[in-house]
Amino acid sequence: MSSTNKKGAGLILSLLTAVAGAVGLAFCIVNAGTDSFRKIGTSPVVIGCAVIAILALVLRVVLDKKLAIAADAMSVVAGITLVVAAVQFISPRVNTIASIMTFTNNAQTMADLSSAIYGTAALLIAVVLNIIAAFTNVNEQ
């Protein structure tokens, strides 16, 4: 009998989570360069947490067969850092978003706002995907 190593749903979900985290990070960087949010800038915490989360997700896939406990720990690390990145990204922008929605609602500020919304949505989607991926196997037995 030969042992086949089939890839499980956890592999796909972990990689989708990493992609969603990378997309969220890209929108965070784009948003920091817009006119409306330039004064807030890019937080090193957001960038650091997003990069750590992406690396943890890749490590989860790599370590699954070798060190299952470390792979499970990487799921936890990725989840925590993605939540921290999302919170640290959106919290300083709340007042500016409220100002845009109530007072300075024009085409330019709405375009600036869209990158903040897309970045937040991508990071939150990554969090949800990570929660689902944490309960799935990377390799099927």
Side-chain angles (χ1 to χ4, degrees), residues 9-27:
L11 172 75
I12 296 167
L13 287 171
S14 293
L15 294 178
L16 284 174
T17 304
V19 168
V23 168
L25 177 61
F27 275 111

Side-chain angles (χ1 to χ4, degrees), residues 33-52:
T34 61
D35 288 337
S36 299
F37 296 98
R38 185 170 291 137
K39 65 179 183 238
I40 298 171
T42 305
S43 170
V45 174
V46 173
I47 293 173
C49 285
V51 169
I52 289 169

Side-chain angles (χ1 to χ4, degrees), residues 57-127:
L57 289 162
V58 171
L59 280 174
R60 177 182 189 239
V61 172
V62 171
L63 294 176
D64 186 63
K65 290 293 268 185
K66 299 171 188 143
L67 297 167
I69 294 173
D72 290 341
M74 291 299 111
S75 289
V76 174
V77 168
I80 291 169
T81 53
L82 283 170
V83 169
V84 169
V87 168
Q88 289 294 317
F89 175 68
I90 196 64
S91 61
R93 287 166 171 74
V94 170
N95 289 336
T96 306
I97 290 170
S99 173
I100 289 171
M101 295 301 290
T102 54
F103 301 115
T104 58
N105 191 345
N106 60 43
Q108 178 63 42
T109 57
M110 292 306 286
D112 295 349
L113 178 62
S114 68
S115 64
I117 291 171
Y118 294 151
T120 303
L123 288 172
L124 293 178
I125 288 169
V127 169

